[in-house]
Amino acid sequence: MAGSIQSLERAAAILRLLAGGERTLALSDVALTLGLAKGTAHGILRTLQQEGFVEQDPVTGRYRLGAELLRLGNGYLDVNELRARSLMWADDLARVTGESVRIGVLHQGGVLVIHHVFRPDESRQVLEVGSMLPLHATAWGKVLLAFDPVAPGELDDGLKPCTPATLTARADLDAECARIRAAGWAGEREEAVEGVAALAAPIRGHRGAPLGAVGIGGAIERLTSDGAFPGTLVAAVRDTARAISRDLGAGIY
Amino acid sequence: MADRFVAAIDQGTTSSRCIVFDGASHVLAVDQREHRQIFPRPGWVEHDATEIWARVQEVTAGALRKAGLAPSDLAAVGITNQRETTVLWDRATGRPVHHALVWQDTRTEALCAELAGGHGRDRFAATTGLPLASYFSGPKIRWLLDHVPGARERAERGELLFGTMDTWVIWNLTGGAVHVTDVTNAGRTMLMDLRTLDWDDGILAAFGIPRSLLPEIRSSAEVYGHARGVLEGVPIAAALGDQQAALFGQTCFSVGDAKSTYGTGSFLLLNTGEEPVRSRHGLLTTVGYRLGSDAPVYALEGSIANTGSLTQWLRDKIGLISTAAEIETLALSVRDNGGLYLVPAFSGLFAPHWRPDARGVIVGLTGFAGKGHLARCVLEATAFQTRDVVDAMVLDSGVELKALRVDGGMTANHLLMQTIADMLDVPVMRPFVSETTCLGAAHAAGLVAGVWPDLDALRAEWRRAAEWTPRIEDGTRDRMLRKYRKAVELAKGWIDEDDEIEVEPA
C-alpha cells in the first residue's frame, strides 16, 4: 500500500484486536499477536491512551478500548450483528453437512452460543441460543483458546472433567491448542458429552482479529470415521468460517 | 437430469432478481440488480418499466451464467412480482405510455375518496375483498387514462395494454405474444370478482376502464407460453404476487397455515381454504394461489406498517443504536420492558384498528426506564402488532393458528422471534431457504413442469432451520397484552380536527 503510514496501520491493528468484545489484553499479548516488538507496541498503546482510545487498568496494567473510542461509534462487533451476517452461511453449512450448526463467542469464561441452526432432518430440536459451552471441552472453546489471546486467561485454574475424554491437564490443552493453530480447526471427540463429536474453525475480522467460532456438532458415528474427521466435513466448516470472515472484512488468509 | 432446474424471476420494488433452483430446492445461483426509484412529487413513486425489463433480462442471463446453465437446462420459469404496480403500454410498439405507478404511490387518494362517495371505502369490498385505497391498480389505471394525453382515446381504440409487473414481464418474455395475469395479481387490481375470478363489468364501468386493456386472468401455475430471447424456449409456468409466492414457498397449503414476512413493514397471510372469508376487521381478502384448474385457495392478509422501519427509526432518528442488529443487544441489557409500551402509530393505526386519528405513544415512563427498556419496547411492538393481526384473522375466519412460519431480514433477530412466539403462544418457525418468495414461484412452475410431483413433495422439502417455542407464563403474557391494549387506546384520537395537516393520507 503506497503512501500508508505504518504506525497508523499498527495502531489500527491494536484497536481492532482490543475490539473483539469486552476484553483486556497485556502488552505482551498485543505484541505477540501482531508480531510487533514490545517497545513498538508500548509506544503506540501509550499514544492511543493519551488520545483516550485505549485505557489501562491501574491494577493489572492490562489494556482495553477507551471510552472516547466507544463514543466515536462502533465500539466493537455486536454479537447480534455477527449473527445477522452469518445467517445465510450457517444455513448452508447445516444443509451441506446435514448437522446442526452453532456460532459461539468468548463470554465470561465460556463460549456463548449466539446462533444455532437445526440439523435439517425435522427431528425435534431445541434452540440453544444463549446457552454456554465449556471453553476447554468443546471444539468452539478450543478454537477460541487457540486463536484468541484473551481466552486462555479466562480459563478456570482447575479444568473440570465433563467426560473421561475431557482434557484436564493444562499441558495437554496447550499442546492441543498448538495443534489447532497449525491445522486451522479444532475437533472434539466426546470431550463434552458422551457420544457427541464436533468440529469448529475461527471467524476473524479485520487483520485477522479473532471474533468467534463456527462449527458443527452431532453423533460421533456420523461425524467421524475410524476416529478421524472426514476431509469433506473439515472443508465445509473451514469454508464457512472463511466466508463469514470475508463478509466481516477479513482479508484472504 | 438436465431438465431438473427451475428459475424464478422476482421483479421487486427496488430490484429484480433471478434465482436458479435445483430439484432439491437448493439455490444454485442468484443475480440481482436495482432499478431507479422516481419521485416526481411528494407521495408519488414511479418506475421506468423499460428499465425494469432490461434489468430482468440482465439478471436472468446473469443467474444462468453463474449456475453454468443454458436456457435448455431449465424445466420452467416462474414469475413473482411487486404487487399492484401499474403500467400501460402500446400494444404495437411495446413502449410504455408513462412511467409505471408504484404501489406506494398515493396520487390516487383523492380519486379513491371520490369513487367511495356516499358508498364508503368498502364500496367494492364484497366483490373484490379490498377497500378503496391508493395501493391497488384499478385507481392507478384510471389516473393514467385521465392524465396521459391521448391515453383514453388510444385505450378505447384497443391500442393500449395494461399490466401489473407479472403481465409486463411475461408479455416481454414472449415477445409480445401473451397478455395474461394470474389470479393473485388480478385480485389486487380491485377489478376482479374474487368468486368468479373474472373482471367485473360493473366495477370496470364505475372506474371507466375499457375491458380491452386488460389481460386474460389465468391460474397461478400453468404454461402461459414459451419464452424467447434470454430464456429461449423455456415454458413460463407460474406467476404469483410476492406475498402469495412467499405463502406458497413456505408451503402453507392447508387451512390454518400462516406465514409472516418481517421486513421494513410486514405481511401476514393465513390460508383460509377454498372459500373467500370476508373480514369484519379491515383485513384484506385475497387469492392465495390457484393451481391449474384446481379450486382457488384464498387467504386473509394483514399488513403491519412499522416493523423493521421501527428499528431504523431508533437508529437513524433517535440515534440509540448504530446498526439494526444492535437493537437486540441493547434490549437484552435489561430483563424486561421496565413497564414501557410503544404503539408505533406513526401515520395512524391500521388493521385491525383503523384509526387514522391515532399517533405513536410510549407509555409507562418512570425514572427507572432506560435505553435498554426503550429498545425492548420497540421490539415488543412488532410482536404485539403481529398478535393484533392474528387475533383479527382468527375472529374473521374461525381458523385457529397452530404455528407461524417466518421469513425476511428480521428473522435474524432472535429476541424478536422469541417474543413473537411468546405473544402468539404458538411456535414460530424459520425455514432453511430464506428466499421464500422466489422459492414459491419456482415451486409453482416446477409443479407444472413435473420437477415435483405434488404438494406433498414440496411440503417434504420445507426444512426447519430454527423454531422458537413460547416460554413465558400465561399470566405474564396476559398482563403484557392488557397493557399494550391500554396503550393502543391512549394512542387513539390524538389528532384533532384543526391539525388536519397532519392527517395526510398514508
Side-chain angles (χ1 to χ4, degrees):
Chain A
M1 218 191 292
S4 64
I5 299 167
Q6 194 187 34
S7 58
L8 273 179
E9 281 183 348
R10 287 173 170 171
I14 289 175
L15 290 175
R16 286 186 182 116
L17 187 64
L18 289 168
E22 293 207 67
R23 49 162 65 201
T24 63
L25 287 177
L27 173 61
S28 56
D29 293 330
V30 173
L32 200 67
T33 308
L34 298 175
L36 298 175
K38 261 194 179 182
T40 310
H42 184 247
I44 295 169
L45 278 165
R46 209 176 44 210
T47 310
L48 288 170
Q49 198 182 348
Q50 282 161 7
E51 296 295 328
F53 289 171
V54 162
E55 291 170 1
Q56 192 174 19
D57 187 289
V59 181
T60 64
R62 294 166 75 88
Y63 294 93
R64 61 172 172 261
L65 287 185
E68 178 63 25
L69 191 65
L70 294 173
R71 261 205 299 279
L72 276 181
N74 306 307
Y76 46 84
L77 181 77
D78 184 284
V79 295
N80 296 304
E81 184 80 34
L82 175 58
R83 183 200 303 131
R85 306 264 197 111
S86 308
L87 209 60
M88 191 179 70
W89 301 112
D91 281 1
D92 282 352
L93 180 61
R95 267 217 313 242
V96 167
T97 61
E99 299 294 342
S100 64
V101 172
R102 286 170 190 74
I103 293 177
V105 299
L106 186 65
H107 180 72
Q108 293 179 349
V111 182
L112 173 68
V113 177
I114 62 142
H115 186 46
H116 176 196
V117 182
F118 286 174
R119 189 170 65 246
D121 62 3
E122 290 301 281
S123 60
R124 190 138 292 283
Q125 295 165 72
V126 176
L127 207 57
E128 289 175 16
V129 174
S131 65
M132 296 288 288
L133 306 175
L135 263 182
H136 65 294
T138 60
W140 294 267
K142 291 193 292 182
V143 161
L144 295 174
L145 284 172
F147 291 98
D148 188 332
V150 173
E154 305 243 326
L155 274 177
D156 292 335
D157 288 339
L159 299 175
K160 207 175 106 233
C162 307
T163 69
T166 310
L167 298 176
T168 52
R170 201 58 191 252
D172 292 345
L173 193 57
D174 287 346
E176 170 79 346
C177 286
R179 271 197 301 277
I180 291 166
R181 267 192 298 275
W185 59 278
E188 165 197 334
R189 295 176 185 79
E190 302 192 88
E191 291 152 55
V193 180
E194 306 251 10
V196 171
L199 170 52
I203 297 172
R204 298 163 179 273
H206 287 284
R207 307 247 164 189
L211 300 172
V214 57
I216 57 174
I220 191 161
E221 296 81 2
R222 286 199 310 267
L223 256 72
T224 62
S225 68
D226 298 330
F229 292 96
T232 49
L233 288 184
V234 175
V237 169
R238 297 189 70 193
D239 282 347
T240 302
R242 268 191 293 269
I244 297 171
S245 301
R246 207 162 44 234
D247 270 7
L248 292 169
I252 306 299
Y253 53 90
Chain B
M1 301 249 278
D3 59 346
R4 299 290 89 176
F5 302 108
V6 183
I9 294 172
D10 178 1
Q11 201 304 293
T13 305
T14 57
S15 68
S16 299
R17 310 200 289 164
C18 180
I19 300 188
V20 181
F21 293 91
D22 67 13
S25 305
H26 292 169
V27 174
L28 283 190
V30 184
D31 200 27
Q32 175 162 0
R33 284 186 183 219
E34 296 193 350
H35 55 260
R36 277 181 304 145
Q37 305 293 317
I38 302 160
F39 304 105
R41 295 188 201 178
W44 290 28
V45 190
E46 299 178 353
H47 290 159
D48 177 349
T50 306
E51 182 191 3
I52 283 180
W53 168 235
R55 297 291 94 83
V56 165
Q57 293 176 88
E58 288 160 12
V59 297
T60 306
L64 281 177
R65 191 172 57 243
K66 289 182 188 175
L69 297 177
S72 56
D73 295 319
L74 296 177
V77 59
I79 314 292
T80 178
N81 56 290
Q82 53 168 321
R83 302 177 300 176
E84 297 123 8
T85 296
T86 298
V87 60
L88 291 191
W89 70 93
D90 185 306
R91 143 194 323 265
T93 65
R95 220 169 285 140
V97 303
H98 189 275
H99 283 155
L101 306 192
V102 180
W103 58 277
Q104 303 119 319
D105 188 299
T106 56
R107 78 185 66 182
T108 56
E109 183 53 37
L111 176 63
C112 288
E114 183 191 316
L115 284 163
H119 308 276
R121 293 270 172 162
D122 280 343
R123 179 176 175 189
F124 306 115
T127 308
T128 66
L130 310 172
L132 267 163
S134 60
Y135 295 121
F136 306 114
S137 313
K140 295 185 197 295
I141 300 174
R142 166 69 178 269
W143 189 94
L144 288 167
L145 292 177
D146 287 351
H147 292 84
V148 177
R152 179 163 294 282
E153 295 70 28
R154 292 167 72 193
E156 305 282 358
R157 288 198 300 268
E159 294 172 15
L160 300 187
L161 298 176
F162 151 77
T164 40
M165 284 298 140
D166 55 318
T167 304
W168 172 245
V169 169
I170 294 170
W171 193 83
N172 279 292
L173 274 175
T174 57
V178 177
H179 187 227
V180 298
T181 186
D182 95 298
V183 286
T184 67
N185 278 295
R188 311 297 288 201
T189 57
M190 282 204 87
L191 306 174
M192 187 188 82
D193 183 328
L194 270 179
R195 290 173 185 277
T196 65
L197 304 180
D198 194 5
W199 306 117
D200 184 281
D201 286 317
I203 298 176
L204 290 181
F207 275 84
I209 294 173
R211 204 177 168 116
S212 65
L213 268 179
L214 304 178
E216 185 188 346
I217 303 176
R218 305 276 283 269
S219 81
S220 315
E222 61 179 277
V223 177
Y224 310 117
H226 288 75
R228 298 172 58 180
V230 66
L231 285 176
E232 188 68 39
V234 178
I236 305 167
L240 288 151
D242 51 12
Q243 296 305 326
Q244 283 90 342
L247 184 77
F248 201 78
Q250 288 271 26
T251 65
C252 293
F253 303 143
S254 304
V255 174
D257 287 349
K259 73 91 199 174
S260 188
T261 303
Y262 289 98
T264 309
S266 297
F267 292 88
L268 209 153
L269 271 75
L270 170 76
N271 180 326
T272 59
E274 295 180 3
E275 282 295 316
V277 170
R278 179 78 195 277
S279 175
R280 281 165 290 114
H281 300 90
L283 303 171
L284 307 181
T285 309
T286 199
V287 185
Y289 56 88
R290 183 185 193 191
L291 305 177
S293 55
D294 291 358
V297 170
Y298 293 91
L300 277 174
E301 174 174 324
S303 55
I304 305 172
N306 287 310
T307 51
S309 56
L310 216 50
T311 304
Q312 289 161 13
W313 170 77
L314 206 60
R315 184 191 63 196
D316 302 336
K317 298 283 175 66
I318 307 298
L320 202 57
I321 49 175
S322 56
T323 69
E326 269 179 38
I327 190 174
E328 189 176 351
T329 309
L330 193 54
L332 281 169
S333 67
V334 291
R335 281 174 48 226
D336 54 32
N337 62 21
L340 289 195
Y341 288 82
L342 179 146
V343 181
F346 290 175
S347 46
L349 280 167
F350 299 96
H353 306 288
W354 296 103
R355 288 290 297 262
D357 63 349
R359 281 300 177 271
V361 293
I362 299 174
V363 293
L365 283 166
T366 63
F368 171 69
K371 53 189 180 182
H373 302 110
L374 185 56
R376 193 104 178 185
C377 79
V378 162
L379 278 187
E380 286 178 354
T382 293
F384 290 134
Q385 293 180 97
T386 303
R387 169 78 192 223
D388 268 352
V389 169
V390 166
D391 281 351
M393 285 181 167
V394 168
L395 281 173
D396 281 337
S397 65
V399 169
E400 200 171 329
L401 187 76
K402 293 189 190 67
L404 183 65
R405 298 181 169 205
V406 294
D407 49 68
M410 285 184 92
T411 56
N413 191 316
H414 175 75
L415 178 62
L416 174 63
M417 293 300 117
Q418 181 61 53
T419 309
I420 291 170
D422 286 344
M423 287 306 135
L424 295 183
D425 199 18
V426 298
V428 167
M429 304 183 295
R430 176 177 82 83
F432 269 95
V433 180
S434 52
E435 309 293 349
T436 53
T437 304
C438 277
L439 184 66
H443 274 174
L447 270 183
V448 174
V451 175
W452 294 282
D454 51 28
L455 294 181
D456 282 340
L458 298 179
R459 268 199 196 96
E461 285 189 1
W462 190 93
R463 292 262 189 281
R464 191 183 335 223
E467 175 172 334
W468 294 267
T469 46
R471 283 205 307 223
I472 61 168
E473 302 197 350
D474 291 349
T476 310
R477 174 189 309 111
D478 293 346
R479 188 176 49 74
M480 290 175 75
L481 289 171
R482 187 182 72 228
K483 284 291 186 198
Y484 178 72
R485 282 167 192 148
K486 284 174 84 171
V488 167
E489 292 309 311
L490 292 170
K492 292 177 182 172
W494 179 253
I495 293 295
D496 299 316
E497 273 187 29
D498 62 351
D499 30 58
E500 255 175 286
I501 201 146
E502 286 190 57
V503 213
E504 284 281 292

